[in-house]
């Protein structure tokens, strides 16, 4: 840090999506929580939050603009850097059209920054704007948007405390969102609620669970359908809810009835008696809730099956129920809320709706483009081909699931790459211009946490050197590249957002204060809505459809062990974070049976490899991972997960040739 942060000023922790309030304690030299805060009401912080002010090595910070000259990035003045950007972007638009540009935003940036970023893209004439938050939960959010009208948590953290049964699927909130877990889930379980954990790996959440189901990867949807089958067979359906609030029940029930429970349980590797016990608990509960994470993002079926289960049992629209996506990064929800998406304008409004575009044009003075843009993965695939220029805001697409070497070639083939970040990354190495950005404690604005609460961040220190506030930089680019007015005052930007985002329409900086306001917050309302879908779903429909899912799982393959990853919450190199700082474990967790088959003892060094790459790591034998799977922290696994690779081979690292593979 360039200076000591302001003591005692309230802001919001950037380390995950929970949204804990914190302040800097000069006497202790670290962050402290704030009693009575919107989320961490008792003033607690997790270890990552305590270290929120200590995520950068000051020597790593970018402190001045850089431009590429004769192949090297060299210091430049702000006017010189902005001139280069203006000439390059205008040239690309003139020669190839605005859809030759890509805008990749960051869930760690504030709502005001992401809003201004997507506005800049659309005023320039393209909907090619996206953020990786959408990719992290694409399947679950898409299913919820299509069937319920919104992809946000259906309930608040406070009211899920009233659940009688928690079905946690593909998520480890005890580790990834510990304050939320310990404040709302753990007390309910300690008071008698049932916790069922569905995950192929036992972890901290499993330790509190009454039941742990560890299905083979790719079979989660079939396991959830087996729960629905038992609920149907035993007459535990909420018939009133099904009749009044759903469609397509008969077709769904028929599809489930066609399944062979014993065969599917065997294929998934789960105990059928346990499945039936869990189903009875869920079906008989007065209130049951689903908590999910990135572990269900293996396709659409698992999210669809979970929504079917909730509709079947009437667990939507009431306290202690619902489909609750526990996001990872601190402003994942907000980045999507304010329109940093290729297919939706602020407030989840489709870009294809002419009435929506007209309302936005009344505010901006320019109508957004009519056709949806490309998502982040397709944009990155198009680098150097249909995409000629890119603006990367606090992201690092050079390290991506599309394959490192392929993306590096694409980055090199761009006509122009602009990166705005706090430190050098694998992506800045390819940039034509690099702009020094502001860290979380050096900016003000708002962020939206995992249960839809908008809270205010406040400036606690100044950016080092020539680094500038991110919003000011975006406005300077808007002024250079367009004829539309861009404002660099966060409060005025927020006011503009409320005029184009109906879900934020009744909010204000003054109303948020040191607390929070939750969307949807209608204009003129006294408060936001904690429980969604009470009388109607957020798409204004009274009924939501059942969606039959695949009845059988994919057959097992002999492509090697299935690679499981996790631990990405708050863990990234961008405008909020820096070095890791979360104490993650980079060892390879493997079941003893699989370790024996590969000749690996506890503590051995092993090479983990597939078609995408190879790393060397240390073996940790444990029965917490089911047979046929291995687990690596997401940061360590990055070189292996490109281009859809989900299987790996192992071999002992015994030769000198293996040594350069160290991560």
């Amino acid at each position: 840090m360039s200076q000591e942060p302001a003591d005692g000023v309230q802001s919001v922790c950037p380390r995950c999506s929970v949204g804990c309030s914190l302040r800097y304690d000069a006497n202790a030299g670290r962050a402290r929580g704030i009693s009575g805060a919107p989320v961490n009401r008792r003033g607690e912080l997790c270890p990552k939050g305590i270290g929120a002010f200590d995520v950068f090595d000051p020597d790593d910070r970018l402190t001045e603009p850089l431009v590429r000259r004769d192949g090297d990035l060299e210091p430049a003045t702000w006017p010189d850097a902005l001139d280069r950007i203006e000439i390059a972007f205008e040239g690309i638009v003139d020669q190839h059209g605005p859809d030759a540009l890509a805008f990749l935003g960051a869930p760690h940036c504030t709502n005001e920054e992401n809003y201004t970023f997507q506005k800049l893209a659309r005023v320039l004439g393209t909907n090619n704007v996206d953020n990786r938050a959408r990719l992290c939960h694409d399947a679950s959010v898409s299913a919820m948007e299509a069937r319920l009208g919104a992809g946000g948590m259906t309930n608040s953290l406070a009211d899920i405390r009233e659940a009688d049964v928690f079905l946690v699927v593909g998520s480890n909130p005890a580790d990834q969102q510990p304050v939320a877990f310990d404040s709302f889930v753990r007390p309910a379980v300690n008071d008698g609620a049932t916790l069922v954990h569905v995950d192929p790996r036992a972890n901290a959440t499993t330790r509190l669970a009454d039941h742990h189901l560890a299905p083979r990867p790719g079979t989660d949807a079939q396991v959830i359908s087996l729960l629905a089958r038992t609920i149907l067979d035993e007459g535990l359906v909420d018939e009133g809810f099904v009749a009044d609030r759903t469609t397509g029940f008969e077709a769904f029930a028929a599809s489930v009835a066609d399944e062979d429970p014993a065969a599917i349980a065997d294929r998934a590797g789960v105990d059928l008696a346990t499945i039936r016990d869990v189903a009875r608990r869920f079906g008989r509960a007065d209130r049951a809730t689903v908590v999910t994470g990135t572990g269900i993002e293996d396709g659409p079926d698992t999210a669809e099956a979970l929504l079917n289960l909730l509709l079947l049992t009437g667990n939507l629209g009431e306290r202690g129920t619902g489909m609750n996506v526990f996001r990872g990064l601190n402003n994942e929800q907000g980045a999507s809320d304010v329109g940093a998406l290729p297919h939706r304008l602020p407030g989840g409004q489709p870009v294809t709706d002419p009435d929506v575009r007209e309302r936005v044009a009344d505010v901006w003075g320019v109508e957004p483009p009519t056709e949806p843009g490309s998502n982040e993965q397709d944009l990155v695939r198009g680098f150097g081909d249909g995409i000629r220029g890119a603006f990367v805001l606090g992201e690092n697409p050079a390290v991506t699931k599309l394959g490192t070497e392929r993306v590096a070639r694409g980055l090199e083939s761009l006509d122009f790459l602009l990166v705005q970040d706090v430190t050098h990354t694998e992506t800045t190495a390819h940039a034509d211009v690099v702009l020094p950005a502001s860290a979380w404690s050096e900016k003000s604005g708002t962020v939206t946490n995992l249960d839809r609460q908008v809270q205010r961040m406040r400036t606690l220190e100044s950016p080092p050197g020539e680094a500038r506030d991110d919003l000011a930089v975006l406005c300077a680019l808007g002024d250079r590249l367009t004829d539309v007015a861009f404002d660099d005052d966060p409060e005025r930007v927020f006011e503009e957002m409320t005029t184009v985002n109906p879900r934020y329409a009744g909010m204000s900086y003054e109303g948020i204060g040191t607390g929070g306001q939750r969307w949807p917050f209608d204009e003129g309302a006294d408060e936001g809505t904690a429980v969604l879908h009470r009388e109607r779903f957020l798409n204004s429909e009274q009924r939501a459809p059942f969606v039959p899912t695949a009845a059988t799982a994919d057959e097992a393959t002999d492509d090697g062990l299935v690679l499981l990853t996790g631990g990405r919450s708050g863990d990234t190199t961008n405008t909020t974070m820096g070095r890791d700082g979360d104490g993650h474990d980079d060892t390879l967790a493997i079941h003893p049976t699989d370790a024996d088959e590969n000749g690996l003892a506890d503590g051995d060094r092993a090479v983990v490899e597939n078609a995408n790459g190879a790393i060397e790591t240390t073996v940790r034998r444990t029965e917490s991972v089911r047979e046929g799977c291995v687990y690596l922290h997401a940061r360590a696994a990055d070189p292996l997960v490109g281009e859809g690779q989900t299987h790996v081979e192992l071999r002992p690292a015994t030769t000198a040739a293996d040594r350069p593979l160290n991560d």
Side-chain angles (χ1 to χ4, degrees), residues 369-391:
T370 61
E371 295 299 321
S374 299
N375 65 37
E376 179 172 336
Q377 288 186 319
D378 288 340
L379 291 173
V380 173
R381 290 188 184 100
F383 281 179
D385 187 9
I387 301 300
R388 309 305 308 176
F391 182 2

Side-chain angles (χ1 to χ4, degrees), residues 103-412:
F103 291 75
L104 305 183
H108 276 299
C109 289
T110 66
N111 288 325
E112 292 76 12
E113 291 159 359
N114 276 298
Y115 172 82
T116 301
F117 187 69
Q118 62 86 35
K119 177 180 175 179
L120 174 61
R122 289 177 162 125
V123 169
L124 284 171
T126 184
N127 283 318
N128 285 344
V129 57
D130 203 359
N131 75 91
R132 69 185 173 104
R134 186 193 56 74
L135 293 173
C136 291
H137 299 277
D138 188 32
S140 53
V141 169
S142 294
M144 293 169 71
E145 286 178 343
R147 294 169 71 177
L148 309 180
M153 274 181 58
T154 62
N155 291 65
S156 70
L157 285 170
D159 79 70
I160 67 170
R161 168 73 171 78
E162 299 180 19
D164 301 306
V165 174
F166 292 86
L167 182 62
V168 181
V169 187
S171 176
N172 179 17
D175 270 341
Q176 298 305 315
Q177 297 90 7
V179 172
F181 186 81
D182 290 339
S183 297
F184 303 104
V185 179
R186 189 182 298 276
V189 175
N190 289 341
D191 286 345
T194 296
L195 174 62
V196 179
H197 194 207
V198 182
D199 198 296
R201 181 177 73 99
N203 49 47
T205 300
T206 315
R207 289 196 286 271
L208 190 65
D210 298 272
H211 288 296
H212 177 214
L213 298 172
R216 291 190 177 94
T219 65
D220 285 0
Q222 290 71 46
V223 169
I224 304 305
S225 290
L226 286 181
L227 297 178
R229 169 68 179 268
T230 299
I231 287 168
L232 284 162
D233 288 347
E234 302 201 4
L236 300 176
V237 176
D238 186 331
E239 294 179 355
F241 187 92
V242 168
D244 295 340
R245 301 293 306 277
T246 74
T247 62
F249 170 73
E250 297 298 335
F252 165 72
S255 71
V256 174
D258 288 340
E259 299 175 359
D260 180 346
I264 293 176
D266 181 67
R267 187 178 293 114
V270 295
D271 179 61
L272 187 56
T274 303
I275 287 287
R276 287 171 173 159
D277 181 50
V278 169
R280 292 175 187 126
R281 291 179 183 236
F282 198 94
R284 292 169 180 165
D286 290 334
R287 297 181 177 90
T289 191
V290 169
V291 173
T292 70
T294 55
I296 71 166
E297 298 297 315
D298 56 352
D301 283 350
T302 303
E304 301 286 14
L306 288 167
L307 287 171
N308 289 337
L309 185 67
L310 292 167
L311 293 174
L312 192 67
T313 55
N315 280 299
L316 280 167
E318 301 289 343
R319 295 177 63 84
T321 67
M323 180 84 161
N324 296 296
V325 181
F326 273 29
R327 294 175 178 266
L329 305 176
N330 74 315
N331 199 32
E332 282 193 35
Q333 186 65 60
S336 298
D337 289 347
V338 301
L341 299 169
H343 62 308
R344 294 190 182 275
L345 292 162
Q349 303 174 104
V351 298
T352 54
D353 188 323
D355 293 334
V356 171
R357 294 198 307 273
E358 183 178 354
R359 288 196 299 272
V360 172
D362 288 342
V363 178
W364 292 357
V366 173
E367 183 173 319
T370 61
E371 295 299 321
S374 299
N375 65 37
E376 179 172 336
Q377 288 186 319
D378 288 340
L379 291 173
V380 173
R381 290 188 184 100
F383 281 179
D385 187 9
I387 301 300
R388 309 305 308 176
F391 182 2
V392 177
L393 175 63
E395 276 301 316
N396 190 14
V399 178
T400 175
K401 292 183 178 181
L402 294 177
T404 302
E405 292 184 4
R406 174 179 174 179
V407 175
R409 291 194 297 270
L411 289 165
E412 282 297 320

Side-chain angles (χ1 to χ4, degrees), residues 346-650:
Q349 303 174 104
V351 298
T352 54
D353 188 323
D355 293 334
V356 171
R357 294 198 307 273
E358 183 178 354
R359 288 196 299 272
V360 172
D362 288 342
V363 178
W364 292 357
V366 173
E367 183 173 319
T370 61
E371 295 299 321
S374 299
N375 65 37
E376 179 172 336
Q377 288 186 319
D378 288 340
L379 291 173
V380 173
R381 290 188 184 100
F383 281 179
D385 187 9
I387 301 300
R388 309 305 308 176
F391 182 2
V392 177
L393 175 63
E395 276 301 316
N396 190 14
V399 178
T400 175
K401 292 183 178 181
L402 294 177
T404 302
E405 292 184 4
R406 174 179 174 179
V407 175
R409 291 194 297 270
L411 289 165
E412 282 297 320
S413 63
L414 287 170
D415 294 347
F416 187 79
L417 174 61
L418 166 62
V419 180
Q420 186 171 329
D421 216 319
V422 290
T423 65
H424 277 298
T425 67
E426 291 84 352
T427 300
T428 63
H430 302 276
D432 296 284
V433 174
V434 178
L435 301 179
S438 48
W440 73 274
S441 56
E442 299 159 1
K443 63 178 73 177
S444 61
T446 62
V447 290
T448 307
N449 80 336
L450 81 174
D451 76 342
R452 299 176 279 111
Q453 285 193 82
V454 179
Q455 299 170 264
R456 285 176 58 183
M457 300 182 72
R458 292 168 175 83
T459 303
L460 305 177
E461 55 188 326
S462 300
E466 295 297 313
R468 293 183 180 179
D469 178 83
D470 287 338
L471 184 59
V473 174
L474 292 170
C475 290
L477 290 171
D479 292 340
R480 287 272 191 142
L481 297 171
T482 78
D483 296 324
V484 171
F486 285 81
D487 202 314
D488 63 2
D489 179 85
E491 183 170 3
R492 289 196 293 269
V493 176
F494 188 83
E495 290 174 357
E496 180 179 310
M497 279 198 301
T498 63
T499 66
V500 298
N501 181 348
R503 293 176 180 171
Y504 286 24
M507 296 182 186
S508 69
Y509 259 39
E510 181 180 0
I512 295 171
T514 57
Q517 292 182 326
R518 181 181 285 107
W519 68 259
F521 197 123
D522 296 335
E523 186 174 6
D526 294 328
E527 61 181 358
T529 305
V531 180
L532 301 181
H533 318 308
R534 282 191 181 274
E535 302 297 331
R536 289 184 173 271
F537 296 101
L538 215 61
N539 56 11
S540 299
E541 298 291 334
Q542 182 180 334
R543 302 171 186 269
F546 281 97
V547 175
T549 56
T552 58
D554 294 337
E555 295 294 333
T557 69
D558 57 0
D559 294 333
L561 297 164
V562 176
L563 175 64
L564 309 174
T565 65
R568 263 295 184 216
S569 176
D571 161 19
T572 185
T573 52
N574 57 27
T575 57
T576 297
M577 305 311 302
R579 62 178 183 266
D580 182 23
D582 67 356
H584 69 257
D585 182 357
D586 283 347
T587 59
L588 179 81
I590 182 172
H591 192 278
T593 300
D594 294 319
D596 289 342
E597 289 180 358
N598 286 274
L600 296 169
D602 205 44
D604 281 357
R605 298 291 287 176
V607 174
V608 188
E609 59 188 343
N610 59 19
N612 197 55
I615 64 169
E616 182 185 323
T617 185
T618 300
V619 170
R620 179 167 59 87
R621 295 163 62 105
T622 173
E623 293 186 359
S624 68
V625 178
R626 67 163 298 126
E627 291 183 47
C629 301
V630 293
Y631 173 85
L632 274 171
H633 188 280
R635 183 181 291 274
D638 268 339
L640 304 173
V641 295
E643 296 294 356
Q645 293 290 331
T646 57
H647 292 76
V648 293
E649 299 286 348
L650 301 183

